[in-house]
């Protein structure tokens, strides 16, 4: 069974940094694209970025709203994906979800497996 | 900026009704569209991708179609468990962009 467990969410002040982790199990982690999404209360989901498999180059792509402030990485040996967030703003508040692509094909960027999320609140 | 426009933003229908949600892309995205369902208080769930392939375990009353810029999600016979918000999302390349959502309620 595919399982994704996010951790690291917290209440932080604007301008501070935070790192989220996603611990995966139930599949060969290194074979799949992993992505982070977020959802503010009462709003729709928003894509943050993804990291392709190491075998496909480990390329990372980001949404414009977070590029330069957020960084996604992966540790295939530990089956963990990370989201490093810096210079946090109040509009970064929300539930953050770690997801896995359904298939292994390049470009199959639809995400069938979601964790339960970890909450980030940015407030002074 | 690339946009995905969903309509309607909300709908109320009776159990057993046929319901159709549309999603329009601001540029041609070929077949690279997926639909998600989010029931209240839960995580988004992948329903359809490609844009007519049902994800495993999704009831056959759900169907998707379209190509290029215009896409549809149809529920052939609305059930009480279908209450929630439905989102289209384009995935032909980054950024992945969601539509604004369609909230489905039972009349």
């Amino acid at each position: 069974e595919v399982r994704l467990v996010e951790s690291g969410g917290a209440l932080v002040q604007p301008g501070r940094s935070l790192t989220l982790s996603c611990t995966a199990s139930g599949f060969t982690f290194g074979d799949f694209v992993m992505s982070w999404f977020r959802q503010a209360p009462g709003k729709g989901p928003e894509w943050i970025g993804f990291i392709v498999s190491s075998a496909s180059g480990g390329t990372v792509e980001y949404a414009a709203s977070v590029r330069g402030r957020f960084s996604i990485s992966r540790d295939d040996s530990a089956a963990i994906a990370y989201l490093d967030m810096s210079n946090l703003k109040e509009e970064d508040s929300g539930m953050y979800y770690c997801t896995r692509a359904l298939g292994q094909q390049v470009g199959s960027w639809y995400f069938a497996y979601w964790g339960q999320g970890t909450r980030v609140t940015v407030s002074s | 900026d690339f946009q995905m426009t969903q309509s309607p933003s909300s709908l109320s229908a009776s159990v057993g009704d046929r319901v159709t949600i549309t999603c329009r892309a601001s540029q041609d995205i070929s077949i690279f569209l997926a639909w998600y369902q989010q029931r209240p208080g839960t995580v988004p769930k992948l329903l359809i991708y490609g844009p007519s392939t049902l994800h495993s375990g999704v009831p056959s009353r759900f169907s998707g179609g379209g190509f290029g810029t215009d896409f549809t999600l149809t529920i052939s016979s609305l059930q009480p468990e279908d209450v929630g918000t439905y989102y289209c999302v384009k995935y032909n390349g980054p950024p992945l962009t969601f539509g604004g959502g369609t909230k489905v309620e039972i009349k």
Side-chain angles (χ1 to χ4, degrees):
Chain A
E1 178 195 2
V2 173
R3 192 158 184 249
L4 302 170
V5 179
E6 303 92 339
S7 59
L11 169 63
V12 295
Q13 294 179 325
R16 304 300 289 264
S17 298
L18 192 66
T19 295
L20 306 183
S21 301
C22 169
T23 302
S25 60
F27 63 100
T28 304
F29 180 79
D31 288 348
F32 291 89
V33 176
M34 302 297 296
S35 186
W36 289 91
F37 292 78
R38 67 185 178 186
Q39 190 167 23
K43 302 292 185 182
E46 178 189 8
W47 174 72
I48 295 172
F50 62 63
I51 182 166
V52 304
S53 67
S54 300
S56 296
T59 304
V60 187
E61 298 283 352
Y62 300 99
S65 59
V66 305
R67 193 177 296 123
R69 299 188 300 124
F70 289 15
S71 176
I72 297 173
S73 60
R74 62 191 301 156
D75 181 343
D76 290 347
S77 63
I80 299 176
Y82 298 98
L83 176 63
D84 291 304
M85 305 182 290
S86 63
N87 189 21
L88 282 162
K89 305 176 182 181
E90 290 189 353
E91 54 264 38
D92 293 320
S93 296
M95 189 70 82
Y96 281 68
Y97 297 102
C98 170
T99 68
R100 196 207 88 176
L102 176 62
Q104 298 175 238
Q105 306 93 324
V106 173
S108 59
W109 297 317
Y110 36 93
F111 296 88
Y113 301 96
W114 293 57
Q116 289 303 303
T118 187
R119 187 167 296 281
V120 173
T121 303
V122 183
S123 175
S124 54
Chain B
D1 277 0
F2 198 99
Q3 292 197 7
M4 302 295 292
T5 304
Q6 272 183 251
S7 61
S9 57
S10 65
L11 66 90
S12 181
S14 300
V15 172
D17 281 356
R18 182 181 183 88
V19 167
T20 297
I21 299 168
T22 66
C23 181
R24 174 163 288 174
S26 59
Q27 299 173 30
D28 188 335
I29 59 169
S30 184
I31 61 168
F32 299 104
L33 184 103
W35 291 94
Y36 287 83
Q37 175 197 59
Q38 188 170 28
R39 294 185 176 120
T42 69
V43 171
K45 172 187 169 184
L46 178 67
L47 291 178
I48 291 171
Y49 57 92
S52 58
T53 302
L54 242 61
H55 180 43
S56 175
V58 174
S60 59
R61 64 180 179 274
F62 290 92
S63 63
F67 181 87
T69 61
D70 294 302
F71 301 87
T72 58
L73 170 69
T74 298
I75 308 172
S76 61
S77 176
L78 188 68
Q79 299 301 304
E81 59 267 33
D82 300 335
V83 166
T85 304
Y86 292 78
Y87 298 96
C88 63
V89 58
K90 72 95 174 173
Y91 61 89
N92 64 326
L96 278 62
T97 306
F98 284 84
T102 296
K103 187 173 183 178
V104 174
E105 298 176 326
I106 300 291
K107 193 182 292 183

